[in-house]
Amino acid sequence: MAIQKPRGTQDFLPEQIGNWNYIEARMRNICKSYGFNEIRTPIFEETSLFLRGIGETTDVVSKEMYSFPTGDKKEQTYTLRPENTASAVRAYLENKIYGKENITKWFYIGPMFRHDKPQAGRYRQFHQFGAELLGNPSPLADSEIICMILQLFKDFGLEDLQVELNSVGCPNCRPEYRKKLISFFESKKDKLCPDCLSRLYKNPLRILDCKEETCKELSIGAPAIHEHLCDECKDHFEQVKAYLTAAHVDFHVNPRLVRGLDYYTKTAFEVQYAPLGAQSAIAGGGRYDGLVEELGGPATPAIGFAMGMERVLLTLEKQNLLPETTIDPSVFIVALGERAQIEAFKVLQVIRGAYCSAEMDGQNKSMKSQLKYANKIHAKYVIILGDDELARQEAIIRYMETGEQETVPLTEVAMRVISMVKGC
Ligand code: HAM
């Protein structure tokens, strides 16, 4: 049996890379206008970063991590990053960025790894575009982040997206709310799904966003977080909503939106596209005011988001918004005979040297077969160079769209074709 790619991973072949380049270019562009600079952190980190950063009871940490021995120290393991926020904060601390600037705005694009059951829109290796804004406690920052995501989606032409918004409170108000939730679910614990049963005392908020029908029904009437927010969280949430309203953002307050990572405080949000089904979240994020401190740094407010790039592509595809991308060469050189091949190769190098895409075959096939190939790869211009042309120091340019041809001096052919490709 031939070796196949690991389950839950994908090969992206040249015809798909055009789409990836397209979305990445727009992502980089929007980061430029919102003042975010790119970072690149290692694809693996010490496992303890994710245990402390994301939380030991989360599904991501307890079930989905790819961990392996470091090979240096016994007992110590590394983990393929399941997300990039913890790594960004680690880099922020390790490079003492907090001492150099008051506000830090970073973005990243890259692969993440989660050992989950693969399905449409859910992969074991997937890619995220994300941004982190550290040092700004203002609700304005929360709104800015959401507006940036929506502007990107709007520029893509995407429609029918829902913005789900919630506040998950903070270490002042959440413990009391947790207690209330535990006592609400304790009386129903026999009916909870095994996952929720194990969450009951560790992470009861997660029961609220369980996808199992019975758990959904059991959580009807559960205490609502908004009634338990402290004044600071309540005020922050009101202001986020006011800023979003001022920016004409259509959002839906969803008290059940509990994100799957433990570091969130106050604002939590997701952007969903329902036709993607079970994996409808195309972006998610929120405030994580306690994470920098949790990882050993000074108290630093922060907010960020990440979007699943495969899900963005799926959504663009569903809405027919992916641009036609072509990887066709502009020029093909038909060379007939050994001497002509050498001359053709010189011309090829001059054309490529001007960053115009050009191809030749080099196998000395018949004129008919080389022209057929030029046609197949949609070359716009074909240069024909045979021994006769060579003897006259000429070459033929054929315009494939019209079939017209002209003869030009061999010394000028490269420049002529270059100027036509470049449109000058
Ligand atoms: P997350 O919600 O776990 O948040 O992931 C963000 C996005 O990544 C999801 O909305 C989804 O589009 C995509 N995603 C997650 N898992 C998969 C998967 N298995 N296959 C395909 N796509 C997936 C975070 O990762 C946080 N670090 C976001 C954040 C940044 N919060 C604050 N700053």
Side-chain angles (χ1 to χ4, degrees), residues 309-320:
M309 297 173 75
E310 286 82 356
R311 293 188 194 173
V312 171
L313 285 168
L314 282 171
T315 309
L316 286 166
E317 201 178 307
K318 271 194 187 291
Q319 299 193 18
N320 243 327

Side-chain angles (χ1 to χ4, degrees), residues 8 74 92 120 170 186 224 229 242 275 283 344-345 404:
K74 252 193 179 169
Y92 178 78
C170 70
E186 246 171 353
L229 293 178
F345 187 64
E404 282 168 31

Side-chain angles (χ1 to χ4, degrees), residues 142-279:
D142 308 34
S143 320
E144 246 187 303
I145 284 278
I146 296 173
C147 287
M148 171 165 149
I149 302 171
L150 295 180
Q151 185 178 328
L152 177 70
F153 288 157
K154 193 169 161 228
D155 291 349
F156 279 134
L158 287 171
E159 288 174 352
D160 303 327
L161 304 180
Q162 288 87 42
V163 180
E164 303 281 305
L165 186 70
N166 195 17
S167 172
V168 294
C170 70
N172 291 331
C173 49
R174 206 159 34 206
E176 194 52 40
Y177 177 60
R178 256 182 113 248
K179 269 194 218 155
K180 293 231 164 101
L181 270 186
I182 293 174
S183 66
F184 175 83
F185 283 114
E186 246 171 353
S187 58
K188 308 161 187 261
K189 69 178 182 191
D190 298 346
K191 296 185 199 131
L192 289 171
C193 74
D195 271 352
C196 284
L197 188 59
S198 73
R199 285 168 183 151
L200 180 58
Y201 298 103
K202 292 188 209 151
N203 206 341
L205 271 78
R206 288 302 315 274
I207 303 177
L208 295 176
D209 80 341
C210 179
K211 305 289 179 276
E212 295 285 331
E213 278 310 317
T214 34
C215 297
K216 275 191 197 166
E217 268 170 42
L218 289 175
S219 65
I220 293 172
I225 180 99
H226 298 151
E227 285 152 24
H228 297 84
L229 293 178
C230 60
D231 288 345
E232 196 191 316
C233 287
K234 212 182 276 175
D235 187 45
H236 189 94
F237 194 44
E238 288 310 314
Q239 288 194 57
V240 172
K241 289 191 284 182
Y243 280 120
L244 289 177
T245 307
H248 306 289
V249 172
D250 198 7
F251 60 86
H252 169 240
V253 174
N254 178 358
R256 285 169 181 274
L257 179 76
V258 184
R259 308 257 311 123
L261 312 160
D262 272 359
Y263 47 63
Y264 290 112
T265 53
K266 296 181 178 163
T267 314
F269 60 87
E270 272 182 15
V271 181
Q272 299 182 351
Y273 179 56
L276 291 188
Q279 307 307 318

Side-chain angles (χ1 to χ4, degrees), residues 81-108:
R81 61 184 187 192
E83 57 102 63
N84 215 20
T85 307
S87 310
V89 171
R90 198 257 321 124
Y92 178 78
L93 292 176
E94 196 166 338
N95 296 285
K96 297 193 173 55
I97 306 297
Y98 51 86
K100 298 177 193 159
E101 52 194 34
N102 291 332
I103 300 231
T104 298
K105 291 167 111 179
W106 283 348
F107 82 92
Y108 48 83

